[in-house]
Amino acid sequence: YQARQKQREYERNMRYCKRQMIANDAAGQEKEYNHYKNRLKKLSQNYRTFSAKAGLPLQMERVRVRGFGQREAAKARRK
């Protein structure tokens, strides 16, 4: 039970970072955008590692955010 709760915490934080990236990109705030981009990258790595160690399947559908699609993900990887 606790492992699933920790996994949900990672998912919540990843959604928050994506929403912040969308807002900061729209506002032209590159410094804040990069902060959340780096945080999202670290959270994603930790999420995958934690889930594997706990034997939990990745549930990427829980990390989806409206407005953060393939184009935004590719942009985040480029910057």
Side-chain angles (χ1 to χ4, degrees):
Y1 176 78
Q2 290 179 345
R4 278 189 242 142
Q5 293 303 309
K6 183 67 174 173
Q7 189 181 42
R8 300 300 166 264
E9 181 182 340
Y10 278 118
E11 293 163 358
R12 268 192 317 276
N13 289 331
M14 289 166 66
R15 286 191 306 270
Y16 175 78
C17 285
K18 287 180 179 185
R19 286 191 298 267
Q20 292 300 314
M21 287 172 66
I22 292 168
N24 288 319
D25 188 37
Q29 298 175 337
E30 190 169 336
K31 183 177 179 182
E32 288 82 2
Y33 178 88
N34 288 330
H35 167 76
Y36 286 106
K37 178 186 77 163
N38 293 331
R39 184 172 174 208
L40 177 62
K41 186 175 182 179
K42 184 176 179 182
L43 283 168
S44 296
Q45 291 170 345
N46 291 345
Y47 175 71
R48 291 176 189 276
T49 303
F50 175 79
S51 295
K53 285 183 181 178
L56 298 171
L58 294 178
Q59 298 189 18
M60 299 310 286
E61 66 277 2
R62 293 184 179 188
V63 182
R64 291 191 184 134
V65 171
R66 185 178 188 101
F68 194 92
Q70 291 179 345
R71 183 181 309 148
E72 291 78 17
K75 182 179 179 182
R77 284 191 296 269
R78 280 194 309 265
K79 280 192 170 185

